[in-house]
Tab-separated table of all heavy atoms in Angstrom:
chain	number	residue	atom	x	y	z
F	40	ILE	N	-13.257	15.971	-16.539
F	40	ILE	CA	-14.424	16.116	-15.690
F	40	ILE	C	-15.661	15.755	-16.433
F	40	ILE	O	-15.982	16.331	-17.460
F	40	ILE	CB	-14.521	17.567	-15.113
F	40	ILE	CG1	-13.290	17.899	-14.257
F	40	ILE	CG2	-15.809	17.687	-14.244
F	40	ILE	CD1	-13.390	19.329	-13.694
F	41	CYS	N	-16.295	14.672	-15.933
F	41	CYS	CA	-17.531	14.210	-16.593
F	41	CYS	C	-18.743	14.685	-15.806
F	41	CYS	O	-18.637	14.878	-14.538
F	41	CYS	CB	-17.503	12.660	-16.635
F	41	CYS	SG	-18.982	11.862	-17.242
F	42	HIS	N	-19.855	14.884	-16.459
F	42	HIS	CA	-21.057	15.392	-15.704
F	42	HIS	C	-21.440	14.344	-14.661
F	42	HIS	O	-21.909	14.717	-13.610
F	42	HIS	CB	-22.211	15.520	-16.747
F	42	HIS	CG	-23.208	16.507	-16.253
F	42	HIS	ND1	-23.709	17.508	-17.051
F	42	HIS	CD2	-23.786	16.768	-15.053
F	42	HIS	CE1	-24.563	18.264	-16.396
F	42	HIS	NE2	-24.613	17.837	-15.133
F	43	SER	N	-21.117	13.078	-14.888
F	43	SER	CA	-21.457	12.049	-13.863
F	43	SER	C	-20.591	12.189	-12.597
F	43	SER	O	-20.991	11.748	-11.476
F	43	SER	CB	-21.412	10.644	-14.427
F	43	SER	OG	-20.138	10.328	-14.771
F	44	ASP	N	-19.422	12.823	-12.677
F	44	ASP	CA	-18.649	13.130	-11.526
F	44	ASP	C	-19.473	14.005	-10.531
F	44	ASP	O	-19.537	13.770	-9.356
F	44	ASP	CB	-17.353	13.880	-11.817
F	44	ASP	CG	-16.363	13.027	-12.684
F	44	ASP	OD1	-16.600	11.890	-12.814
F	44	ASP	OD2	-15.369	13.683	-13.136
F	66	HIS	N	-13.166	9.488	-14.074
F	66	HIS	CA	-12.957	8.206	-14.873
F	66	HIS	C	-12.613	8.516	-16.299
F	66	HIS	O	-13.016	7.807	-17.238
F	66	HIS	CB	-14.246	7.337	-14.739
F	66	HIS	CG	-15.498	7.968	-15.183
F	66	HIS	ND1	-16.721	7.530	-14.747
F	66	HIS	CD2	-15.780	9.001	-16.059
F	66	HIS	CE1	-17.712	8.215	-15.246
F	66	HIS	NE2	-17.162	9.154	-16.084
F	67	GLU	N	-11.870	9.594	-16.446
F	67	GLU	CA	-11.361	9.922	-17.784
F	67	GLU	C	-9.804	10.171	-17.597
F	67	GLU	O	-9.369	11.304	-17.551
F	67	GLU	CB	-11.993	11.166	-18.416
F	67	GLU	CG	-13.486	10.956	-18.692
F	67	GLU	CD	-14.193	12.131	-19.264
F	67	GLU	OE1	-13.718	13.366	-19.094
F	67	GLU	OE2	-15.219	11.931	-19.924
F	92	CYS	N	-14.069	4.161	-17.367
F	92	CYS	CA	-15.080	3.990	-16.311
F	92	CYS	C	-14.964	2.644	-15.543
F	92	CYS	O	-15.634	2.505	-14.491
F	92	CYS	CB	-16.507	4.108	-16.873
F	92	CYS	SG	-16.728	5.653	-17.734
F	118	PHE	N	-14.664	4.602	-9.717
F	118	PHE	CA	-14.831	5.110	-8.401
F	118	PHE	C	-16.257	4.788	-7.827
F	118	PHE	O	-17.114	4.448	-8.616
F	118	PHE	CB	-14.591	6.636	-8.351
F	118	PHE	CG	-15.601	7.473	-9.109
F	118	PHE	CD1	-16.679	7.981	-8.485
F	118	PHE	CD2	-15.299	7.826	-10.396
F	118	PHE	CE1	-17.611	8.807	-9.192
F	118	PHE	CE2	-16.237	8.611	-11.124
F	118	PHE	CZ	-17.371	9.077	-10.489
F	160	LEU	N	-12.152	8.802	-22.832
F	160	LEU	CA	-12.371	7.596	-22.022
F	160	LEU	C	-13.831	7.474	-21.535
F	160	LEU	O	-14.234	6.420	-21.129
F	160	LEU	CB	-11.375	7.587	-20.873
F	160	LEU	CG	-10.011	6.988	-21.151
F	160	LEU	CD1	-10.033	5.596	-21.723
F	160	LEU	CD2	-9.197	7.905	-22.127
F	161	CYS	N	-14.550	8.598	-21.498
F	161	CYS	CA	-16.001	8.477	-21.208
F	161	CYS	C	-16.786	9.113	-22.335
F	161	CYS	O	-17.572	8.462	-23.047
F	161	CYS	CB	-16.333	9.022	-19.859
F	161	CYS	SG	-18.106	8.808	-19.489
F	162	ALA	N	-16.632	10.410	-22.460
F	162	ALA	CA	-17.446	11.171	-23.533
F	162	ALA	C	-17.171	10.538	-24.946
F	162	ALA	O	-18.067	10.422	-25.767
F	162	ALA	CB	-17.052	12.633	-23.518
F	165	THR	N	-18.686	6.871	-25.147
F	165	THR	CA	-20.156	6.984	-25.095
F	165	THR	C	-20.834	7.302	-26.389
F	165	THR	O	-21.859	6.838	-26.721
F	165	THR	CB	-20.516	8.022	-24.004
F	165	THR	OG1	-20.060	7.539	-22.710
F	165	THR	CG2	-22.025	8.199	-23.844
F	189	LEU	N	-20.670	15.591	-24.758
F	189	LEU	CA	-20.985	14.429	-25.568
F	189	LEU	C	-21.200	14.851	-27.047
F	189	LEU	O	-20.657	14.234	-27.931
F	189	LEU	CB	-22.209	13.700	-24.987
F	189	LEU	CG	-22.047	13.071	-23.647
F	189	LEU	CD1	-23.374	12.543	-23.111
F	189	LEU	CD2	-21.057	11.889	-23.690
F	296	ILE	N	-21.530	3.714	-22.237
F	296	ILE	CA	-20.051	3.744	-22.558
F	296	ILE	C	-19.739	2.693	-23.600
F	296	ILE	O	-20.342	2.623	-24.667
F	296	ILE	CB	-19.159	3.646	-21.245
F	296	ILE	CG1	-19.615	2.489	-20.333
F	296	ILE	CG2	-19.207	4.972	-20.566
F	296	ILE	CD1	-18.691	2.281	-19.157
F	341	ARG	N	-15.180	20.485	-22.638
F	341	ARG	CA	-14.975	19.516	-21.563
F	341	ARG	C	-13.781	20.101	-20.724
F	341	ARG	O	-12.836	20.656	-21.307
F	341	ARG	CB	-14.477	18.177	-22.152
F	341	ARG	CG	-14.796	16.985	-21.294
F	341	ARG	CD	-16.234	16.480	-21.398
F	341	ARG	NE	-16.322	15.212	-20.746
F	341	ARG	CZ	-17.430	14.628	-20.453
F	341	ARG	NH1	-18.602	15.165	-20.720
F	341	ARG	NH2	-17.502	13.400	-19.872
S	401	ZN	ZN1	-18.343	9.846	-17.511
Side-chain angles (χ1 to χ4, degrees):
I40 297 180
C41 175
H42 208 135
S43 66
D44 295 351
H66 57 203
E67 296 182 335
C92 303
F118 66 91
L160 278 301
C161 180
T165 296
L189 291 172
I296 51 173
R341 206 81 167 168

